[in-house]
Amino acid sequence: MKETDKDLLRLYKTYITGIVRPSYVLAHLVDFISSADIEQIRSEEQKSVTTSAELFLDCLFKVEEQGWFQGFLDGLTAAGYTGLAEAIQMADFSEIESLKGHKKLLERVTPTIINNVKPHEILPYMNSCLLPRECEEIQQLTTNKGNAAGAEKLLECLQRSDKMTFYKTFTLALEMSDSVAVTDLLCVDSDEMSTEPSDCSSSLIHEQEIHYMEQTGKDDACEAPYPGMKEVMTDSTSLKTPERHQKNSSDVKDMKLREYQKELARPGIEGKNTIICAPTGCGKTLVALTICEHHLKDMLEEKRKVVFLATTVPIYQQQSRLFTDYFQNTSYKVAGLCGESAEHAPAQMLVEVNDILIFTPQILLNCLKTSTIPSLSIFTLLIFDECHNTAKSHPYNVLMQQYLDAKLSTDSEPLPQIVGLTASIGVGDAKTVQETMQHIFQICANLDMETISTVRENLTELEKFVFVSEKHIREIGCRVKESGAAFFFGVRS
């Protein structure tokens, strides 16, 4: 081992000894550490794991043979210390350091966890952040000595975790086992932490300032498409106070559908695959929320699960906040994945725990590709925002190709209802009426649509709340002698 490698381990000794349990990796180093030293390390581990890890590193520093540094890394990886092994290889412990805040939080609530957590109930959901041997030891302690002893061992393992997702996984596991006393305390204490973001288990959605995406075309904000929109559409800086945010939350839930919105929602509520096509500013998102709520309430024996897909990160953030506010006082749980937040999030557990998921389409595609989400059949409703993008190689179209392949296959697995939202389906590259119609038919086929929902019966009401510009068509002749370029250069001269 090179001296630089030794210096690296010395530099990050505190991190390594705070994570590694030597007995898990010693088997890969028997050719480099003497039997007497191994026995001493194992004996010390019974008294103090950290002291044992320090002794373990001291023994490594004495080894001069070639190859055991790689053996050390292989031992870490084989034991499951993948985060630590990567940090050592990259000489970057910033991610390990970022775990300290949540570990301190667990220290603060240790008595509550020990008194309330039943390890047998949450261990099935903890495989992604606990080592296999840790799970076995917790299980054995719980069986032999009871829940308190098992919970104490569980906490010890979490305090030594090198997994970026350990806290989120733990809080979601608590929620799955209905450990309300602990989850409530963790949520409250998370809000008080000044150095770490909140990780309340009810959602993985980050706090964002809200900018409502569908603004009315009228200059007067009072003419918003439904009650309460004036507050929602105000400048985002005014929404930073909890009082104002709470007011907006209740406004979202108290919104009542206008008649034209009920007309738009009707096919979706009836369970049909439909495109809701209506002008910007008419409140299509409220229509989608209503369809979503009706879909979840209309349960018989099946468990229903909804996915809302947003094409961009800003729209994802806006819709995440809106869905969270709308369903906050119900039994339905909302969560989302987007961009960097998806990299370390336990997506499979997130889908299992929550009723409504907000995704960007590429995140859902990635989860399907890696089988983190086994298939689209686990969902019962897919809502595509800006659904006119479902063409060519757009992620929407790739998703729907998988949907249609499943529909046409011999397997009879149930598939979700599809609802699309758009202000205009568009014309694509069409240059004629026939090509335009073909483009519209193609979008409908791509989305497996049965109908297009537009406002027909309540147009007069719609025009009261949504600005519709007047169209003036004037035919002009073509320039024959003077080209655009000649005109441009003439102006410059």
Side-chain angles (χ1 to χ4, degrees):
M1 179 179 179
K2 300 177 182 178
E3 281 301 315
T4 52
D5 293 330
K6 290 184 178 180
D7 292 340
L8 175 66
L9 295 189
R10 289 191 180 98
L11 180 62
Y12 296 112
K13 182 177 179 179
T14 303
Y15 293 112
I16 297 170
T17 57
I19 292 173
V20 170
R21 182 176 288 270
S23 61
Y24 292 178
V25 298
L26 279 173
H28 291 264
L29 296 162
V30 292
D31 293 334
F32 305 101
I33 302 177
S34 67
S35 300
D37 285 338
I38 289 176
E39 189 61 31
Q40 186 180 359
I41 293 168
R42 291 184 186 278
S43 176
E44 189 62 42
E45 190 174 305
Q46 301 301 317
K47 306 172 188 175
S48 170
V49 179
T50 301
T51 304
S52 173
E54 291 172 350
L55 179 60
F56 173 52
L57 282 186
D58 290 339
C59 292
L60 292 180
F61 295 150
K62 297 175 185 177
V63 178
E64 296 298 334
E65 292 90 343
Q66 294 293 320
W68 71 270
F69 179 66
Q70 186 60 48
F72 174 54
L73 293 177
D74 291 343
L76 292 177
T77 303
Y81 293 115
T82 51
L84 179 60
E86 182 179 353
I88 293 173
Q89 287 177 302
M90 302 298 293
D92 181 5
F93 280 72
S94 57
E95 289 189 349
I96 301 292
E97 174 68 25
S98 69
L99 301 177
K100 283 187 174 180
H102 289 134
K103 291 181 179 181
K104 288 180 180 178
L105 174 57
L106 291 182
E107 283 182 19
R108 291 167 54 182
V109 298
T110 292
T112 304
I113 293 175
I114 291 175
N115 293 329
N116 291 277
V117 168
K118 297 178 180 178
H120 283 310
E121 295 181 357
I122 70 170
L123 278 180
Y125 309 106
M126 299 287 291
N127 293 330
S128 63
C129 70
L130 291 176
L131 308 183
R133 288 183 63 175
E134 289 176 335
C135 290
E136 293 173 6
E137 291 171 6
I138 295 168
Q139 192 82 19
Q140 187 176 1
L141 261 177
T142 304
T143 302
N144 296 337
K145 297 186 177 181
N147 288 329
E152 189 171 356
K153 178 66 177 179
L154 171 63
L155 275 176
E156 178 192 333
C157 295
L158 292 177
Q159 290 290 355
R160 303 186 73 82
S161 178
D162 65 340
K163 304 295 187 292
M164 290 298 296
T165 61
F166 91 90
Y167 185 81
K168 292 176 181 177
T169 303
F170 178 53
T171 51
L172 285 170
L174 290 172
E175 188 168 294
M176 288 289 286
S177 62
D178 293 325
S179 300
V180 179
V182 182
T183 52
D184 288 350
L185 188 58
L186 286 175
C187 288
V188 171
D189 283 353
S190 292
D191 292 337
E192 295 174 357
M193 292 170 62
S194 58
T195 59
E196 294 292 322
S198 172
D199 267 289
C200 180
S201 61
S202 61
S203 175
L204 293 181
I205 299 171
H206 299 294
E207 294 294 326
Q208 300 288 342
E209 295 172 10
I210 184 170
H211 304 264
Y212 196 80
M213 75 172 199
E214 289 191 338
Q215 293 186 0
T216 179
K218 290 187 177 294
D219 295 331
D220 187 359
C222 293
E223 293 293 325
Y226 38 77
M229 264 305 294
K230 187 174 181 180
E231 277 80 15
V232 178
M233 291 168 58
T234 52
D235 188 83
S236 63
T237 56
S238 67
L239 301 181
K240 293 182 179 179
T241 62
E243 294 80 11
R244 185 56 176 270
H245 173 64
Q246 184 61 40
K247 186 172 189 286
N248 287 328
S249 299
S250 61
D251 285 344
V252 172
K253 184 59 180 174
D254 292 339
M255 294 173 184
K256 302 297 182 183
L257 288 184
R258 299 190 185 279
E259 291 304 313
Y260 72 82
Q261 291 171 324
K262 293 178 182 178
E263 181 182 350
L264 289 172
R266 194 178 303 133
I269 289 175
E270 291 172 355
K272 295 179 181 178
N273 286 5
T274 182
I275 293 176
I276 296 172
C277 184
T280 298
C282 71
K284 291 188 294 294
T285 302
L286 180 59
V287 174
L289 286 165
T290 303
I291 293 172
C292 179
E293 184 177 27
H294 186 275
H295 180 83
L296 291 170
K297 285 182 177 179
D298 190 26
M299 291 183 184
L300 295 175
E301 295 180 356
E302 64 174 326
K303 174 69 174 177
R304 300 207 163 184
K305 202 171 291 290
V306 177
V307 172
F308 186 97
L309 295 171
T311 53
T312 64
V313 174
I315 293 176
Y316 159 86
Q317 293 168 346
Q318 294 161 3
Q319 302 295 39
S320 295
R321 171 63 61 200
L322 200 58
F323 269 79
T324 302
D325 290 345
Y326 188 87
F327 289 100
Q328 69 173 347
N329 294 322
T330 70
S331 61
Y332 304 119
K333 299 173 184 177
V334 181
L337 284 179
C338 173
E340 294 181 358
S341 69
E343 185 177 351
H344 302 295
Q348 185 174 7
M349 186 181 299
L350 196 71
V351 171
E352 291 176 2
V353 170
N354 294 280
D355 304 290
I356 304 164
L357 290 308
I358 319 294
F359 291 146
T360 48
Q362 191 60 53
I363 294 298
L364 181 54
L365 272 176
N366 293 344
C367 290
L368 289 167
K369 184 178 181 180
T370 60
S371 297
T372 304
I373 295 174
S375 74
L376 290 172
S377 63
I378 68 172
F379 306 115
T380 55
L381 173 62
L382 290 181
I383 302 176
F384 290 75
D385 193 32
E386 307 294 339
C387 69
H388 55 268
N389 291 298
T390 313
K392 299 180 180 178
S393 59
H394 192 278
Y396 275 179
N397 205 28
V398 179
L399 279 170
M400 284 307 301
Q401 286 171 6
Q402 294 187 23
Y403 175 98
L404 293 170
D405 287 343
K407 182 177 180 179
L408 297 174
S409 69
T410 55
D411 297 334
S412 59
E413 60 179 7
L415 289 169
Q417 177 189 355
I418 306 295
V419 172
L421 307 176
T422 184
S424 171
I425 296 177
V427 299
D429 299 325
K431 297 178 181 178
T432 65
V433 173
Q434 185 176 0
E435 289 177 353
T436 299
M437 292 177 64
Q438 182 60 38
H439 172 79
I440 294 172
F441 293 152
Q442 186 63 57
I443 294 294
C444 291
N446 291 347
L447 286 163
D448 195 34
M449 287 300 162
E450 302 174 58
T451 181
I452 298 176
S453 177
T454 59
V455 179
R456 296 182 177 89
E457 301 169 6
N458 298 281
L459 275 173
T460 304
E461 183 190 43
L462 174 65
E463 291 171 357
K464 292 179 182 178
F465 300 100
V466 178
F467 174 77
V468 180
S469 58
E470 295 182 8
K471 297 179 182 179
H472 299 276
I473 301 173
R474 184 178 62 179
E475 184 178 358
I476 60 173
C478 298
R479 293 180 183 272
V480 179
K481 297 181 179 179
E482 188 175 40
S483 67
F487 176 75
F488 174 75
F489 288 115
V491 170
R492 291 189 61 185
S493 61

